[in-house]
Amino acid sequence: MSRSCRLHLPLLSRGSAFALLCLLLRTLEVDALNLTLNNSHNATCLRAQWQMNFTIEYETLNHGLKNVTIQVPSNASYSGSDCGTNDNISQIKVQFGSGFFWTVNFIRENSAYFIDVISFSYDTSDNNAFPDAKEKGKVSTTFEVNTIGVPLDEFFRCRSVMTVTERNVTHNYWDILVQAFIQNNTISTKEYLCDEDESIVSTTAVTTMPVPTAKPIPKERPYPGTYSVTSGGAVCLLATMGLQLNITKDEVTSLLNINPNTTDCHGECHKESATLRLNDSSNEYLEFLFAVKNGNRFYLKGVNVSLTFVNGSDFVAANNNLNCWDAPIGSSYMCNKEDTIAVSDTFQINTFDLRVQPFNVVEGKYSTAQECFADSDLNFLIPIAVGVALGFLIILVFISYIIGRKKSHTGYQSV
Ligand SMILES: *[C@@H]1O[C@H](CO)[C@@H](O)[C@H](O)[C@H]1NC(C)=O
Ligand SMILES: *[C@@H]1O[C@H](CO)[C@@H](O)[C@H](O)[C@H]1NC(C)=O
Ligand SMILES: *[C@@H]1O[C@H](CO)[C@@H](O)[C@H](O)[C@H]1NC(C)=O
Ligand SMILES: *[C@@H]1O[C@H](CO)[C@@H](O)[C@H](O)[C@H]1NC(C)=O
Ligand SMILES: *[C@@H]1O[C@H](CO)[C@@H](O)[C@H](O)[C@H]1NC(C)=O
Ligand SMILES: *[C@@H]1O[C@H](CO)[C@@H](O)[C@H](O)[C@H]1NC(C)=O
Ligand SMILES: *[C@@H]1O[C@H](CO)[C@@H](O)[C@H](O)[C@H]1NC(C)=O
Ligand SMILES: *[C@@H]1O[C@H](CO)[C@@H](O)[C@H](O)[C@H]1NC(C)=O
Ligand SMILES: *[C@@H]1O[C@H](CO)[C@@H](O)[C@H](O)[C@H]1NC(C)=O
Ligand SMILES: *[C@@H]1O[C@H](CO)[C@@H](O)[C@H](O)[C@H]1NC(C)=O
Ligand SMILES: *[C@@H]1O[C@H](CO)[C@@H](O)[C@H](O)[C@H]1NC(C)=O
Ligand SMILES: *[C@@H]1O[C@H](CO)[C@@H](O)[C@H](O)[C@H]1NC(C)=O
């Protein structure tokens, strides 16, 4: 059904520079394909802008071979595009019209990434696109590109038209700007030009398009997730929380919100201890360890974290001597306001809308809550207490002044 070949992109002849310029002017009117992808941590991992069209040769019933050119409409769908789960393969999927599918894979190898494989499929039973088609059905083509290696942290740019013919389809790609495997949510400002553009830049001045500036990772309130652990078919641990990780690595602090929609959990419940382990599709995890103290209270005793996202290297932190989220067994601990768990010098967890019950969950529901101090109305009493204390102090000073005066007065009298 499909055959693979290596794409050797032809160099444009110098003489076509003028034609190219005209082409650029003309194509400015056409909507570019435009896509930005985020990873599970909401950090941008890929951005792409490009134009493409396809000329497809097919056999008609009565008029022999015919060529149709397919333009990508502006309402094409990119669903299914993603940065992959293992950080080394990303894919863009474009779907449009009735039955056109286009995909490109990017692979990462050491310090470079490659545009790997392009696939294109169409359906000749679409009478609008392929009038009079003799054979009706799906046709798929695939070819390998991976001769273009772009250094990580650079974006690939090609304004020139790249043309490749694979079976009955002639692919045209132009005005390409793509960066895959974006590191640290930082969009690169370094461009890696295709050979075709290099030769044009040296002959005609081409104005550079503005490059979007890098966005810092946002500090939004994390979306709360509800996690539960079951034992013997019954829920034995419940936790609802929005989690924001504050990681300091190489003197740079980054905030990472846990997306509950892409996070799994599991754990264990024992009589005197319980664990809740959150993980995503990479091998990253965040583990909470609960313990019992004095036989009647529970607390968060430990946190373990292992992340791989920072520059592809590992980040780990652990602390088994915490004393947070303290509440009586048989109740739950609740803290709606932002609270912080300092796990280590380089790692802290900011919690939001927290409610947790690691022991004695009945019928899968939280028991009565013990609220954290930050939430409690007792907060109001602080200024009052301070005021009262100050008042006392003033009265005390006043009394001692009176007594002092009286004493010195009597002392004076006796002399
Ligand atoms: C592509 O989308 C981004 C953000 O959605 C926007 O800033 C940029 O101008 C768009 N580019 C084009 C060529 O439409
Ligand atoms: C991707 O993340 C950025 C912040 O890094 C955010 O502004 C943008 O809306 C996100 N896009 C999607 C589709 O979630
Ligand atoms: C398809 O793209 C090529 C290259 O940009 C261009 O020369 C051609 O005119 C386009 N075809 C149509 C029908 O727009
Ligand atoms: C592809 O083109 C050839 C002629 O070059 C034609 O015979 C064949 O039917 C075409 N295939 C499809 C699937 O349209
Ligand atoms: C269709 O386009 C291809 C590539 O441009 C060309 O080689 C072929 O002769 C064309 N076929 C017809 C029937 O015009
Ligand atoms: C895209 O637009 C075309 C008309 O330009 C329309 O026929 C088609 O239904 C639209 N597709 C989607 C998915 O909105
Ligand atoms: C991704 O690529 C890097 C560098 O080539 C390699 O060290 C790492 O093991 C790869 N990861 C996976 C999950 O394949
Ligand atoms: C993140 O941690 C650093 C160092 O511990 C601290 O200075 C900073 O205020 C924290 N930021 C947030 C938003 O928690
Ligand atoms: C990514 O962030 C780390 C620290 O978090 C920094 O040392 C490194 O230089 C950054 N890399 C890039 C490409 O910005
Ligand atoms: C998680 O999914 C829900 C429902 O599908 C959606 O409303 C919410 O915005 C998603 N949250 C995030 C952080 O993507
Ligand atoms: C990602 O960003 C979008 C837009 O800013 C926001 O709606 C969404 O909740 C964020 N998701 C996470 C996991 O932070
Ligand atoms: C979490 O890890 C388990 C295996 O331990 C795995 O089956 C699951 O898919 C992971 N969760 C996600 C969201 O990938």
Side-chain angles (χ1 to χ4, degrees), residues 40 53 94 107 120 131 156 215 281 285 288 290 316 324 333 378:
S40 55
N53 70 22
V94 181
I107 53 165
F120 179 66
F156 176 72
K215 284 186 221 134
S281 50
Y285 66 85
F288 297 93
F290 300 91
V316 292
C324 310
Y333 178 85
L378 290 176

Side-chain angles (χ1 to χ4, degrees), residues 397-409:
V397 168
F398 187 69
I399 289 172
S400 47
Y401 170 74
I402 300 272
I403 291 172
R405 247 176 78 102
K406 234 184 174 161
K407 264 200 176 146
S408 64
H409 201 67

